């Protein structure tokens, strides 16, 4: 690989065009680099990737049934304050998937329909988010705790080709020492308020920007209702503050607070 010292390489394959891309950390220069090895070209360094995290294999993958190879990296100049991001090989710049700072050991895995899972850990917790089918928008970030007694998280890996993310973590526990831990993660729903007018409140349920019909939205003190086409549902609520929750099978729930006037 070109460069003075290349470490932690990963490889991804475009499932449509067959392009093979290798990505790695630049130990001496700083940053994350990638190169096409099936149709040789110049090395590309991902803009804003100087927060490279050494001793963690660079996450790089193609998509299922869709074109493109994507690299997961930490955006910023400092690995302790960087944000999780993905970069499509050949693009001018990457895309943040969350504004969370201090992300560690970021990974990427393909999901059905061209979607991508991106996941990482920070301050002893794990985080994951899934994209839309175009891999241009990301949904709600789902957070979870490792098993009780975990002292530290060391690295992550995951597989998402069935839809949910099967996440594996290498961790240290107080009694048993180093161990591997598995958790199935469901994509998160985003519940938002789109209109409040004379006590009539309209909510929308989305999955990474894609409307979700058939989700059940519940508000305390009101009968729950299911979203219609466009992911929309309306409630007539009494004046005051209300908490609404959206749920659907194969999704992690989402919630929002609203004040009805």
């Amino acid at each position: 690989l070109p460069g003075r010292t290349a470490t932690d390489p990963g490889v991804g394959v475009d499932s449509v065009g067959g392009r093979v891309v290798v990505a790695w950390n630049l130990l001496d220069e700083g940053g994350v680099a990638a190169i096409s090895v099936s149709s040789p070209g110049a090395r590309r360094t991902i803009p804003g990737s100087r927060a490279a995290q050494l001793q963690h294999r660079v996450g790089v993958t193609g998509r299922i049934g869709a074109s493109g190879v994507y690299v997961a990296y930490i955006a910023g100049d400092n690995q302790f304050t960087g944000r999780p991001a993905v970069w499509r090989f050949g693009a001018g710049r990457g895309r943040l998937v969350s504004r969370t700072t201090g992300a560690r050991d970021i990974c990427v895995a393909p999901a059905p329909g061209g979607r991508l899972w991106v996941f990482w850990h920070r301050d002893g917790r794990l985080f994951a988010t899934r994209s839309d089918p175009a891999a241009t928008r990301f949904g709600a970030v789902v957070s979870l705790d490792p098993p009780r007694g975990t002292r530290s998280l060391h690295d992550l890996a995951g597989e998402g080709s069935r839809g949910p993310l099967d996440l594996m973590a290498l961790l240290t526990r107080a009694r048993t020492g180093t161990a591997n831990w598995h958790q199935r993660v469901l994509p998160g729903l985003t519940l938002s308020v789109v209109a409040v007018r004379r006590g009539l409140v309209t909510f929308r349920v989305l999955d990474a920007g894609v409307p979700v019909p058939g989700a059940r939205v519940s508000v305390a003190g009101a009968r729950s209702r299911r979203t219609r086409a466009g992911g929309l549902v309306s409630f007539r609520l009494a004046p005051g503050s209300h908490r609404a929750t959206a749920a659907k099978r194969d999704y992690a729930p989402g919630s929002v607070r609203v004040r009805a006037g």
Side-chain angles (χ1 to χ4, degrees):
L1 297 174
R4 286 178 287 179
T5 307
T7 67
D8 316 311
V11 60
V13 181
D14 188 320
S15 66
V16 175
R19 168 180 274 175
V20 180
V21 173
V22 176
W24 67 95
N25 289 321
L26 294 167
L27 179 60
D28 296 326
E29 303 167 61
V32 179
I35 194 169
S36 172
V37 296
S38 55
S39 53
R43 186 192 82 179
R44 300 285 302 273
T45 300
I46 301 175
S49 65
R50 291 188 60 81
Q53 300 184 53
L54 305 179
Q55 299 182 355
H56 168 68
R57 183 176 63 83
V58 175
V60 53
T61 185
R63 294 193 290 159
I64 298 174
S67 62
V69 177
Y70 291 76
V71 181
Y73 69 103
I74 301 299
D77 294 324
N78 187 307
Q79 62 176 323
F80 302 106
T81 60
R83 295 184 171 96
V86 292
W87 176 72
R88 178 170 175 153
F89 182 80
R93 58 188 299 178
R95 182 183 303 274
L96 291 177
V97 303
S98 170
R99 295 198 172 274
T100 301
T101 59
R104 300 287 297 167
D105 297 333
I106 187 168
C107 302
V108 61
R115 296 177 184 262
L116 295 173
W117 277 103
V118 178
F119 49 104
W120 64 95
H121 67 87
R122 177 179 65 89
D123 296 335
R125 302 203 75 195
L126 300 122
F127 301 86
T129 179
R130 195 178 71 170
S131 77
D132 63 355
T136 56
R137 300 180 64 178
F138 284 82
V141 176
V142 178
S143 64
L144 61 152
D145 291 315
R148 184 176 298 178
T150 298
R151 286 183 171 177
S152 57
L153 289 163
H154 302 295
D155 211 345
L156 304 177
E159 209 286 330
S161 65
R162 303 291 292 180
L165 173 67
D166 283 298
L167 186 150
M168 293 290 295
L170 177 65
L171 47 82
T172 298
R173 305 194 69 195
R175 295 184 178 180
T176 58
T178 303
N180 289 293
W181 175 70
H182 166 263
Q183 174 69 45
R184 175 158 285 189
V185 183
L186 300 177
L189 292 174
T190 300
L191 177 63
S192 61
V193 178
V194 296
V196 180
R197 188 172 185 179
R198 297 179 181 177
L200 185 65
V201 181
T202 301
F203 299 93
R204 176 179 285 126
V205 180
L206 300 174
D207 168 14
V210 179
V212 181
R216 183 176 293 279
V217 177
S218 304
V219 181
R223 180 177 295 179
S224 64
R225 298 180 178 179
R226 292 191 181 274
T227 55
R228 53 190 185 271
L232 298 171
V233 65
S234 297
F235 291 80
R236 190 164 294 280
L237 302 176
S241 179
H242 301 268
R243 181 180 178 85
T245 301
K248 190 176 182 180
R249 184 177 179 179
D250 298 327
Y251 286 95
S255 62
V256 70
R257 296 199 69 89
V258 60
R259 177 168 293 278

